[in-house]
Amino acid sequence: SRPVDALLLARFCEPRRSQKAADLCSGCGIVALSGHDRGHRGLCAAVELQPEASALLQEAVAAQDIEHITPYLTDLRTFREGEGQFDVCACNPPYFTAGPQSTTQAVHGPHETDCTLEDVCACGFRLLKDGGKLSLCHRPERLAEVLAVLRAHRLEPKRLAFVKNKPDAAPWLFLWKPRKTAAPACRIEPDVLIAARR
């Protein structure tokens, strides 16, 4: 499920306590709130286009009196707040290219109807300071495409991990952490193993 993917991404991203972070395509804020639970206290911009999801995060931060997370109900394609100042960005993006699909919200979310991989990378490059890191998760069948788009936006992959259900299984997700304007060199990390299929 998408919440599982977001939790894996949050663990992979893990900003340091005082770093300035952005949670792009934040949904109801799983990545931002998980970071808070694990000690992040720097400013965090949670950017989400869907009103219902952004409202859930707004309720959560108000209920817990969390002041460092700011939900932004806006399109990441036009988001400019604090550009060039972020230490880390995370994104759990739409996985599937736009095409014939159900009109239900449950299916609408994972498709690139309102946000493409290009949009995510352009926003990440715009927001990050030089050397800043963008963490994202995606499907293995699009790995080559993701690499091409990252490099086209001067985001050089530095850490890569595959998510599997068991050691001899094919991965169903990957986690990548590129850096803005960094030298080429990517470390392949041990597989992330989880007990049950999503």
Side-chain angles (χ1 to χ4, degrees), residues 19-20 33 35-36 42 51 76 80 84 89 94 97 105 116 136 139 141-142 154 161 163 178:
Q19 286 185 321
K20 186 170 185 177
L33 292 170
H36 171 79
L76 63 76
R80 294 290 190 279
C89 293
T97 54
Q105 184 175 354
T116 67
L136 75 158
R139 299 293 186 184
E141 58 266 30
R142 295 188 68 185
R154 296 169 61 200
V163 181

Side-chain angles (χ1 to χ4, degrees), residues 86-117:
F86 287 84
D87 299 291
V88 296
C89 293
C91 188
N92 183 8
Y95 292 149
F96 309 110
T97 54
Q101 58 190 274
S102 166
T103 56
T104 63
Q105 184 175 354
V107 176
H108 171 83
H111 286 77
E112 294 182 332
T113 52
D114 298 313
C115 171
T116 67
L117 185 59

Side-chain angles (χ1 to χ4, degrees), residues 6-23 30-45 68-69 86-90 128 133 135 159 177:
L7 286 171
L8 290 166
L9 176 64
R11 291 288 186 99
F12 190 70
C13 177
E14 196 120 60
R16 290 197 285 272
R17 182 177 180 85
S18 62
Q19 286 185 321
K20 186 170 185 177
D23 180 8
I30 291 174
V31 172
L33 292 170
S34 178
H36 171 79
D37 290 345
R38 295 170 67 82
H40 180 240
R41 293 297 181 270
L43 294 176
C44 180
H68 69 101
I69 298 175
F86 287 84
D87 299 291
V88 296
C89 293
L128 289 168
K133 299 173 183 178
S135 296
R159 291 175 55 202
K177 183 177 286 187

Side-chain angles (χ1 to χ4, degrees), residues 30-188:
I30 291 174
V31 172
L33 292 170
S34 178
H36 171 79
D37 290 345
R38 295 170 67 82
H40 180 240
R41 293 297 181 270
L43 294 176
C44 180
V47 181
E48 173 56 43
L49 187 61
Q50 299 294 333
E52 300 85 357
S54 187
L56 287 173
L57 177 57
Q58 184 67 62
E59 293 173 11
V61 297
Q64 298 179 57
D65 196 27
I66 300 174
E67 297 183 350
H68 69 101
I69 298 175
T70 303
Y72 289 89
L73 177 58
T74 188
D75 191 325
L76 63 76
R77 291 173 291 191
T78 57
F79 184 69
R80 294 290 190 279
E81 189 77 24
E83 58 184 19
Q85 299 176 21
F86 287 84
D87 299 291
V88 296
C89 293
C91 188
N92 183 8
Y95 292 149
F96 309 110
T97 54
Q101 58 190 274
S102 166
T103 56
T104 63
Q105 184 175 354
V107 176
H108 171 83
H111 286 77
E112 294 182 332
T113 52
D114 298 313
C115 171
T116 67
L117 185 59
E118 289 269 357
D119 296 330
V120 169
C121 292
C123 182
F125 183 86
R126 187 169 66 246
L127 296 183
L128 289 168
K129 60 178 63 172
D130 282 346
K133 299 173 183 178
L134 169 67
S135 296
L136 75 158
C137 54
H138 220 296
R139 299 293 186 184
E141 58 266 30
R142 295 188 68 185
L143 186 141
E145 178 188 357
V146 173
L147 173 59
V149 176
L150 286 172
R151 283 187 158 168
H153 289 84
R154 296 169 61 200
L155 297 165
E156 186 63 35
K158 304 300 285 186
R159 291 175 55 202
L160 172 64
F162 292 96
V163 181
K164 299 179 177 182
N165 294 321
K166 53 186 180 180
D168 59 349
W172 52 267
L173 191 76
F174 68 80
L175 300 159
W176 226 342
K177 183 177 286 187
R179 295 182 66 179
K180 178 177 177 177
T181 60
C186 183
R187 183 173 77 233
I188 309 300

